[in-house]
């Protein structure tokens, strides 16, 4: 008796059962589920399982050429299952390409000891009450200050070693609410460095106070003061009579525009906005309250207004070493159209948003907004029945929140260490003296 | 000057259609074209004329009236021009010498240049050679010309009507050759021509469609629902992610509101974004449109108002309160997409690159009719 053959037959039987079960769940998953998460993962599994099985069948066939009986058996099985997994594969194919996007998961009940401040911050993140790279980072760091103050070092342990393990589940809870932003990541990395470098001899309260002071310094230097420097530098680029175009809502660009207006320059602003978040309306309210003349358009109208624009000012979520800017979905379109019409695109970005990675397209890392009308982004004039707000069979709704603007579309990046052309972004760590 | 409108028989039908167009009660280019043809058929059937120039003047007057009612609906004027072209052709073949028709086989540069104006030329052919039984301006029987010609004219108009009714089938004829298996197609908004095209291809191929809901009309939602009900796996995305997903898209298929004489097109707002993003990624852009959308007009796009602005309250509604009075809102309904962004036009009359649109226009319409 051939030992490999019996193992083969056992494996084939297992695969057949698994494929049958996967095909059954795929048929259920694609047809009836309203949530976006399940159909993507289940057909992905169904698509994976039959293809794996098909691969293994062909492998087995090639491995045992003289075993004619085994080959005939495998061929029959392949023929049987191919009909079933073909339909599953067809349904799965379309949904597979985007299945790696992290679909939003509901924030589950806290596992382990989650500090109430962290729980509240996580809820605010997942409900999109706090949005924007700077706002999220500041909220995270402020929450951590409270956590650190409430922390008590367990006996036989030191603060510098144990605090980080204590903070890890809190961080995971925040990440489960919404994927971590680059700003949060950089800030937490800095915090870890500070914690591990804190003096062992200090009494606990002093050590905690020192950490909180370091956090405050980080916020003040890397965000608040950086923003002030950027306000001045970018503000100098705005001249009287300019028409500035901005997209969605960047906290930095808002500050730049308010500062330029306060210093007496006379300019007008075009705010371009788009679903899913329709954040531009908030910026519009702030700017028009300050007395700046604004025009508001949705993204498809961009082609009609771009010819009148003198500068495009946008913010960023993060910038990468190759000069690509990862920002709110739609920024890439604005930058591309501006470049086509020879309008300079200026990105206002603090250095703590710099990420060492290189990102090539918007798929490597992205986030999907939850389905439904979370942001009340549909006009009231549109009857709700004519809208598709949830997934249906054969129809999936995707709302990516970010996209990547290639460095060719960007003219300059304004940071607190200077105005940098996009292909020199990798020199930011050098400019900061490797403080990153 | 041309005849007064109220003297044209059937003018009531013209007035009704003009009113409907003005109030935008006729929705869709194809519907506008169909209604125009029906009105023209009524006018021609009741018209009294003793030579072809009178009939042409009547039709041009009707066309001018309808085009003025809704200047942004170019298919009205296009249909009138098409009917005029067909009528002239039929009338001339009924009244002129047969020898003139055989010379059409020789395709020379001079023939092509004069193609827009063959009627004036052949009118000089002496009538004595003609075997035609029709005589213009017959003093004894002024209606004989009209009576004899009308059946032929009705046929010509029926041709135009048939072409309009079969637009979707003819555009989708070769759909399966344009779409391959496992392709990812991007489309924007809701175009019935593109919808028919995609559904026809779905019978033969398995592929995925990504529909960009274009704001603020969000017509993409209807398109996505209709396509998914037909069994095509569909994704619905907001316009902001067009650039993000473009790297995965194999082809962009757009619909058109009107195709301009330079090969550019007027399409629903957002099409310019999709076409530009496609060019940045070297993705082919395909436009599906019926031939009745070919407009022999140039420089429509320089006119700011050519974009046909829609209601701003769907962008910034009154629920925003104080913002409404302090903020300007621009809500164009259409985009102009230049010919350099389009790769091919798929029409019911075959596939054409944008560089040969001028030739199509020469062949479809007469030069005289460019200005109605």
């Amino acid at each position: 008796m051939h030992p490999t053959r019996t193992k083969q037959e056992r494996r084939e039987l297992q695969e057949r059962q698994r494929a049958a079960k996967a095909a059954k769940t795929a048929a259920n998953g694609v047809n009836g589920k309203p949530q976006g998460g399940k159909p993507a993962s289940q057909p992905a599994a169904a698509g994976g399982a039959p293809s794996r099985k098909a691969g293994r069948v062909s492998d087995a066939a090639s491995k045992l050429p003289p075993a004619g009986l085994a080959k005939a058996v495998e061929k029959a099985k392949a023929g049987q299952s191919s009909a079933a997994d073909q339909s599953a594969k067809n349904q799965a194919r379309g949904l597979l390409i985007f299945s790696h996007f992290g679909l939003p998961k509901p924030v589950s009940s806290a596992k382990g000891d989650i500090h109430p401040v962290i729980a509240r911050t996580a809820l605010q993140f997942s409900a999109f009450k706090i949005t924007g790279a700077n706002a999220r980072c500041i909220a995270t760091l402020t929450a951590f200050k409270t956590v650190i103050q409430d922390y008590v070092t367990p006996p036989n342990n030191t603060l510098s070693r144990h605090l980080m393990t204590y903070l890890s589940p809190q961080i995971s809870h925040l990440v489960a609410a919404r994927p971590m932003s680059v700003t949060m990541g950089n800030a937490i990395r800095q915090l870890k460095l500070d914690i591990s470098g804190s003096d062992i001899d200090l009494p606990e309260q002093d050590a905690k106070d020192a950490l909180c002071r370091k956090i405050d310094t980080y916020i003040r230097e890397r965000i608040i003061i950086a923003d002030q420097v950027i306000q001045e530098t970018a503000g100098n680029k705005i001249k009287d009579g300019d028409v500035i175009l901005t997209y969605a809502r960047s906290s930095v660009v808002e500050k730049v525009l308010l500062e330029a207006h306060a210093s007496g320059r006379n300019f007008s602003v075009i705010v371009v906005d788009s679903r899913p978040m329709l954040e531009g309306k908030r910026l519009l309210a702030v700017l028009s309250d300050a007395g700046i003349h604004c025009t508001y358009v949705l993204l498809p109208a961009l082609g009609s207004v771009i010819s009148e624009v003198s500068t495009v000012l946008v913010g960023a979520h993060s910038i990468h070493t190759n000069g690509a800017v990862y920002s709110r979905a739609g920024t890439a379109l604005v930058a591309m159209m501006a470049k086509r019409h020879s309008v300079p695109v200026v990105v206002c970005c603090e250095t703590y948003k710099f990420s060492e990675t290189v990102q090539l397209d918007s798929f490597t890392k992205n986030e999907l907004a939850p389905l439904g009308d979370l942001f009340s982004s549909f006009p009231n004039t549109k009857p709700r029945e004519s809208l598709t707000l949830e997934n249906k069979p054969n129809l999936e709704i995707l709302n990516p929140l970010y996209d990547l603007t290639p460095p060719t579309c960007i003219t300059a990046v304004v940071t607190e260490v200077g105005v940098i052309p996009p292909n020199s972004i990798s020199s930011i760590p050098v400019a900061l003296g490797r403080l990153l | 000057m041309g005849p007064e409108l109220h003297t044209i028989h059937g003018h009531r039908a013209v007035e009704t259609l003009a009113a409907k167009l003005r109030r935008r009660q006729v929705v869709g280019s194809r519907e506008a074209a169909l209604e125009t043809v029906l009105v023209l058929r009524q006018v021609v059937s009741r018209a009294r004329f003793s030579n072809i120039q009178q009939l042409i003047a009547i039709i041009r007057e009707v066309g001018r009236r309808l085009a003025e009612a809704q200047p942004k609906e170019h298919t009205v004027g296009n249909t009138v021009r098409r009917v005029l072209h067909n009528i002239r052709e039929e009338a001339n073949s009924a009244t002129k010498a047969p020898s003139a028709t055989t010379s059409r086989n020789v395709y020379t540069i001079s023939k092509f240049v004069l193609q827009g104006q063959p009627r004036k030329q052949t009118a000089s052919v002496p009538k004595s050679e003609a075997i035609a039984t029709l005589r213009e301006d017959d003093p004894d029987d002024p209606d004989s010309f009209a009576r004899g010609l009308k059946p032929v004219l009705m046929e010509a108009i029926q041709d135009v009507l048939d072409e309009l009714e079969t637009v979707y089938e003819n555009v989708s004829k070769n759909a399966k050759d344009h779409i391959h298996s496992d392709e990812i197609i991007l489309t924007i908004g809701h175009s019935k021509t593109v919808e028919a095209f995609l559904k026809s291809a779905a019978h033969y191929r398995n592929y995925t469609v990504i529909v960009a809901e274009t704001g603020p009309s969000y017509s993409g939602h209807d398109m996505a629902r209709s396509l998914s009900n037909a069994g095509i796996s569909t994704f619905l995305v907001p316009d902001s992610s067009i650039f993000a997903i473009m790297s995965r898209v194999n082809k962009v298929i757009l619909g058109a509101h009107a195709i301009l004489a330079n090969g550019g097109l007027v399409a629903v707002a957002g099409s310019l974004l999709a076409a530009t993003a496609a060019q940045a990624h070297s993705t082919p852009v395909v436009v599906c449109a019926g031939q009745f959308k070919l407009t022999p007009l140039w420089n429509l796009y320089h006119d700011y108002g050519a974009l046909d602005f829609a209601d701003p309250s769907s962008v910034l509604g009154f629920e925003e309160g104080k913002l409404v009075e302090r903020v300007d809102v621009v809500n164009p309904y259409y985009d102009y997409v230049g010919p350099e962004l389009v790769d091919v036009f798929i029409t019911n009359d075959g596939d054409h690159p944008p560089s040969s649109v001028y030739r199509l226009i020469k062949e479809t319409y007469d030069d005289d009719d460019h200005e109605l």
Side-chain angles (χ1 to χ4, degrees):
Chain A
M1 184 105 104
H2 229 284
T4 48
R5 201 193 297 176
T6 37
K7 212 189 287 181
Q8 204 65 23
E9 282 174 349
R10 255 187 286 135
R11 209 188 302 160
E12 300 309 338
L13 189 62
Q14 269 182 355
E15 291 285 5
R16 215 175 348 132
Q17 286 169 344
R18 206 186 308 162
K21 194 162 81 160
K24 200 160 44 136
T25 50
N28 288 338
V30 173
N31 277 334
K33 293 277 169 66
Q35 285 308 101
K38 291 278 183 69
S41 52
Q42 279 173 349
S51 58
R52 250 182 293 132
K53 177 180 191 302
R56 232 176 268 193
V57 165
S58 58
D59 270 344
S62 60
K63 252 190 267 183
L64 307 170
L69 183 61
K71 221 171 42 169
V73 166
E74 279 143 10
K75 261 204 201 127
K77 283 186 202 150
Q80 242 177 23
S81 51
S82 65
D85 56 41
Q86 191 59 37
S87 56
K89 239 198 269 191
N90 288 344
Q91 280 169 330
R93 186 202 342 259
L95 309 176
L96 272 181
I97 43 172
F98 298 117
S99 59
H100 70 283
F101 273 179
L103 285 160
K105 305 174 276 283
V107 177
S108 54
S109 57
K111 300 189 183 93
D113 264 339
I114 304 294
H115 196 285
V117 169
I118 297 285
R120 193 181 68 194
T121 315
L123 266 179
Q124 284 176 322
F125 283 177
S126 62
F128 290 90
K129 294 276 181 277
I130 299 183
T131 57
N134 284 346
R136 280 209 283 163
C137 180
I138 293 178
T140 313
L141 288 178
T142 317
F144 279 157
K145 268 177 26 188
T146 318
V147 173
I148 289 176
Q149 287 296 354
D150 291 347
Y151 168 74
V152 172
T153 318
N156 300 332
N157 226 322
T158 53
L159 183 135
S160 58
R161 290 208 198 109
H162 185 257
L163 181 54
M164 215 52 233
T165 43
Y166 176 68
L167 283 178
S168 291
Q170 323 281 342
I171 297 173
S172 314
H173 187 76
L174 284 178
V175 172
R178 262 189 83 185
M180 179 138 74
S181 63
V182 167
T183 48
M184 277 164 66
N186 286 345
I188 291 175
R189 204 173 317 129
Q190 182 65 30
L191 184 63
K192 280 189 187 167
L193 209 60
D194 290 334
I195 291 176
S196 57
S198 70
D199 202 346
I200 290 187
D201 296 325
L202 276 179
E204 185 175 320
Q205 190 53 43
D206 289 350
K208 292 199 283 192
D209 287 341
L211 278 176
C212 288
R213 269 199 308 275
K214 287 221 176 85
I215 290 180
D216 279 335
T217 315
Y218 189 84
I219 294 179
R220 200 179 58 242
E221 283 182 0
R222 306 303 298 273
I223 306 179
I224 313 278
I225 295 190
D227 279 353
Q228 284 173 351
V229 177
I230 293 175
Q231 270 176 2
E232 239 187 85
T233 324
N236 291 336
K237 305 260 171 252
I238 302 178
K239 301 175 290 298
D240 277 338
D242 269 358
V243 177
I244 310 287
L245 184 131
T246 183
Y247 179 72
R249 182 183 172 271
S250 162
S251 51
V252 190
V253 173
E254 181 180 311
K255 291 181 189 165
V256 168
L257 293 174
L258 288 174
E259 166 72 23
H261 183 77
S263 65
R265 256 168 292 229
N266 188 14
F267 59 93
S268 63
V269 174
I270 301 181
V271 177
V272 181
D273 206 4
S274 171
R275 279 199 74 241
M277 289 186 71
L278 230 58
E279 301 172 292
K281 275 193 191 160
R282 281 163 51 199
L283 178 66
L284 192 66
V286 170
L287 291 181
S288 55
D289 274 341
I292 303 177
H293 178 253
C294 300
T295 308
Y296 182 69
V297 293
L298 289 185
L299 194 52
L302 184 61
S304 335
V305 298
I306 192 78
S307 43
E308 310 173 359
V309 175
S310 34
T311 319
V312 172
L313 274 183
V314 290
H317 175 100
S318 65
I319 44 179
H320 298 267
T321 25
N322 60 334
V325 170
Y326 188 70
S327 182
R328 181 67 66 214
T331 314
L333 282 169
V334 172
M336 175 193 69
M337 288 296 294
K339 174 139 191 298
R340 252 191 114 219
H341 291 258
S342 309
V343 176
V345 176
V346 175
V347 177
C348 300
C349 180
E350 303 89 342
T351 54
Y352 86 114
K353 287 179 176 164
F354 175 75
S355 161
E356 296 274 339
T357 59
V358 173
Q359 223 181 321
L360 296 173
D361 62 12
S362 321
F363 285 90
T364 322
K365 181 179 92 147
N366 210 325
E367 189 188 333
L368 294 178
L371 299 178
D373 202 4
L374 183 61
F375 305 101
S376 309
S377 44
F378 290 108
N380 285 353
T381 47
K382 184 100 181 140
R384 286 296 178 267
E385 307 80 53
S386 63
L387 295 172
T388 315
L389 288 175
E390 46 178 39
N391 284 348
K392 296 197 162 59
N394 278 328
L395 175 61
E396 193 173 322
I397 300 179
L398 288 181
N399 294 323
L401 284 176
Y402 295 105
D403 71 9
L404 195 76
T405 310
T408 45
C409 296
I410 299 171
T411 316
V413 178
V414 175
T415 66
E416 73 266 24
V417 296
V419 181
I420 312 177
N423 39 21
S424 307
I425 295 291
S426 48
S427 63
I428 285 184
V430 174
L432 290 173
R434 296 253 170 237
L435 282 178
L436 216 52
Chain B
M1 281 304 299
E4 286 300 323
L5 189 63
H6 60 85
T7 60
I8 299 175
H9 296 269
H11 75 278
R12 191 148 302 183
V14 176
E15 285 299 327
T16 318
L17 181 58
K20 272 165 74 172
L21 283 171
R22 204 176 304 122
R23 290 188 219 126
R24 295 179 194 256
Q25 282 172 336
V26 181
V27 178
S29 335
R30 189 167 157 259
E31 278 63 40
L34 281 169
E35 302 239 4
T36 312
V37 174
L38 294 175
V39 162
L40 283 177
R41 190 165 63 176
Q42 259 199 321
V43 166
V44 168
S45 69
R46 299 220 217 135
R48 309 183 64 155
F49 53 93
S50 42
N51 60 33
I52 197 69
Q53 292 304 324
Q54 283 179 356
L55 176 62
I56 286 177
I58 293 174
I59 297 181
R60 285 178 84 158
E61 177 59 36
V62 169
R64 204 174 306 135
R65 188 100 178 120
L66 293 177
E68 272 167 10
Q70 182 52 278
K72 302 287 164 49
E73 192 52 77
H74 303 290
T75 49
V76 169
N78 296 346
T79 320
V80 171
R81 293 184 188 100
R82 196 75 208 276
V83 167
L84 279 174
H85 172 87
N86 282 7
I87 284 180
R88 279 210 193 85
E89 218 176 285
E90 293 292 344
N92 280 303
S93 64
T95 54
K96 72 172 169 5
S99 56
T101 51
T102 52
S103 64
R104 217 172 275 261
N105 295 333
V106 177
Y107 203 74
T108 62
I109 284 285
S110 54
K111 190 115 209 96
F112 166 68
V113 166
L114 296 167
Q115 199 167 359
Q117 312 122 31
R119 320 303 154 209
K120 289 204 197 95
Q121 242 219 337
T122 51
S124 59
V125 169
K127 287 256 168 38
S128 53
E129 290 180 48
I131 51 170
T133 53
L134 291 170
R135 285 182 57 215
E136 294 194 337
D137 289 321
D138 191 344
D140 311 316
D141 190 4
D143 285 337
S144 71
F145 180 69
R147 258 202 324 269
L149 200 53
K150 270 197 190 161
V152 191
L153 296 181
M154 283 307 157
E155 251 183 55
I157 297 182
Q158 189 60 34
D159 279 344
V160 177
L161 195 59
D162 287 338
E163 194 190 307
L164 278 175
E165 285 177 346
T166 56
V167 155
Y168 296 153
E169 289 83 41
N170 286 334
V171 168
S172 332
K173 239 182 349 201
N174 293 328
K176 66 178 188 306
D177 297 328
H178 287 280
I179 299 183
H180 321 299
S181 277
D182 262 356
E183 266 203 320
I184 301 184
I185 310 276
L186 173 72
T187 184
I188 190 162
H190 189 184
S191 159
K192 298 206 194 64
T193 320
V194 175
E195 191 184 332
F197 188 82
L198 292 175
K199 283 183 177 170
S200 145
H203 287 135
Y204 306 95
R205 308 264 183 258
N206 258 321
Y207 59 97
T208 311
V209 176
I210 302 181
V211 181
E213 62 177 32
T214 160
S217 56
Y218 298 111
S219 46
H221 287 249
D222 291 328
M223 178 75 145
R225 263 204 304 274
S226 153
L227 288 178
S228 61
N229 286 340
I232 306 176
S233 80
T234 318
F235 287 91
L236 182 62
V237 296
D239 333 314
S240 47
S241 49
I242 288 178
F243 196 90
I245 57 172
M246 190 56 79
S247 55
R248 289 285 184 280
V249 169
N250 299 115
K251 224 171 234 140
V252 174
I253 300 189
L254 300 174
H257 170 74
I259 303 176
L260 302 183
N262 64 344
L265 66 145
V266 176
V268 74
S271 306
L272 181 60
L273 291 175
T276 321
Q279 196 192 41
H281 289 88
S282 301
T283 307
V285 174
V286 166
V287 176
C288 291
Q291 204 138 36
F292 64 96
K293 291 185 176 162
L294 273 174
T295 314
L297 297 174
W298 296 82
N299 286 343
L300 274 183
Y301 46 89
H302 286 323
D303 187 5
Y304 193 56
L307 298 174
D308 204 11
F309 296 92
D311 179 15
S313 71
S314 42
V315 173
L316 197 66
F318 287 102
E319 69 272 8
E320 300 298 326
K322 287 196 300 183
L323 281 180
V324 168
E325 56 184 13
R326 288 189 293 191
V327 170
D328 288 339
V329 172
V330 179
N331 185 11
Y333 198 69
Y334 297 118
D335 260 345
Y336 166 69
V337 178
E340 65 277 1
L341 295 171
V342 178
D343 287 298
V344 65
F345 285 103
I346 298 182
T347 68
N348 50 332
D349 210 14
D351 307 341
H352 307 276
S355 46
S356 55
V357 166
Y358 76 100
R359 185 154 40 90
L360 281 179
I361 289 181
K362 269 255 191 217
E363 291 169 4
T364 324
Y365 307 124
D366 294 328
D367 286 351
D368 298 338
D369 299 332
H370 287 354
E371 293 294 325
L372 276 177

